[in-house]
Amino acid sequence: NAGVTQTPKFQVLKTGQSMTLQCAQDMNHEYMSWYRQDPGMGLRLIHYSVGAGITDQGEVPNGYNVSRSTTEDFPLRLLSAAPSQTSVYFCASSYARASPLHFGNGTRLTVT
Amino acid sequence: TQLLEQSPQFLSIQEGENLTVYCNSSSVFSSLQWYRQEPGEGPVLLVTVVTGGEVKKLKRLTFQFGDARKDSSLHITAAQPGDTGLYLCAVLQAGTALIFGKGTTLSVSS
């Protein structure tokens, strides 16, 4: 049982480059979300989705796009990477909005 | 304004000591979740508390939800090196999603 799978585990980008962080879950969860984690800042919500075709913004959405074409996948796109986006990114899923989250193991992104 | 305030931010103790960490807010919540995160991994759920005044035990960990459902505490008895990690509390923010506190980093040395 894979749970939530994130790829890649590590990524280095130059300022201005774009990329997509992949997230897939095999638990048939309707709810998925993206968080970023920075030292001393806890987890901050970027975007979330309550089901296929529905997405919404979280606390820190600027510079990121998401889409949810299937229940399983929820990719996060960085349109033009900036050094301020250097962080560890976590994808999570749950049965419902208030249900406990299942997290992936994160993607560590460095923007130079 | 931070919805959830966790304290202390850092805690370094010796094996066998007891400790308590706190999660406080000025808002009322229908439930609160506690997670533990180990280095290089995603957070893992420890417990969900739902009822005001509720106490839940998970081996040496005791979780309490405040009577007014605005705060929660996590008490660890006889801490072990395996308890080392980042402890996070989280609540459902109205209309959005689960929001996390900044966490308490616990280090237990043998």
Side-chain angles (χ1 to χ4, degrees), chain A residues 32-86:
Chain A
M32 298 186 74
S33 51
W34 277 101
Y35 294 85
R36 61 176 288 174
Q37 186 171 40
D38 304 290
M41 297 296 292
L43 289 160
R44 291 184 291 170
L45 180 67
I46 305 172
H47 286 284
Y48 65 98
S49 169
V50 299
I54 306 169
T55 63
D56 209 341
Q57 297 181 352
E59 303 169 270
V60 288
N62 293 340
Y64 307 96
N65 274 0
V66 292
S67 60
R68 184 95 180 270
S69 57
T70 67
T71 298
E72 293 78 19
D73 299 299
F74 191 43
L76 179 71
R77 297 182 185 85
L78 279 70
L79 307 175
S80 178
S84 61
Q85 293 178 305
T86 293

Side-chain angles (χ1 to χ4, degrees), chain A residues 4-9 21-24 34 89-92 103-107:
Chain A
V4 178
T5 302
Q6 291 185 238
T7 57
K9 292 187 186 299
L21 280 63
Q22 302 291 344
C23 175
W34 277 101
Y89 292 84
F90 286 98
C91 178
F103 283 87
N105 281 333
T107 294

Side-chain angles (χ1 to χ4, degrees), chain B residues 95-106:
Chain B
T96 61
L98 277 169
I99 301 298
F100 287 79
K102 293 184 179 181
T104 293
T105 299
L106 172 65

Side-chain angles (χ1 to χ4, degrees), chain A residues 4-18:
Chain A
V4 178
T5 302
Q6 291 185 238
T7 57
K9 292 187 186 299
F10 301 94
Q11 183 70 49
V12 178
L13 292 177
K14 295 185 186 300
T15 297
Q17 288 185 319
S18 63

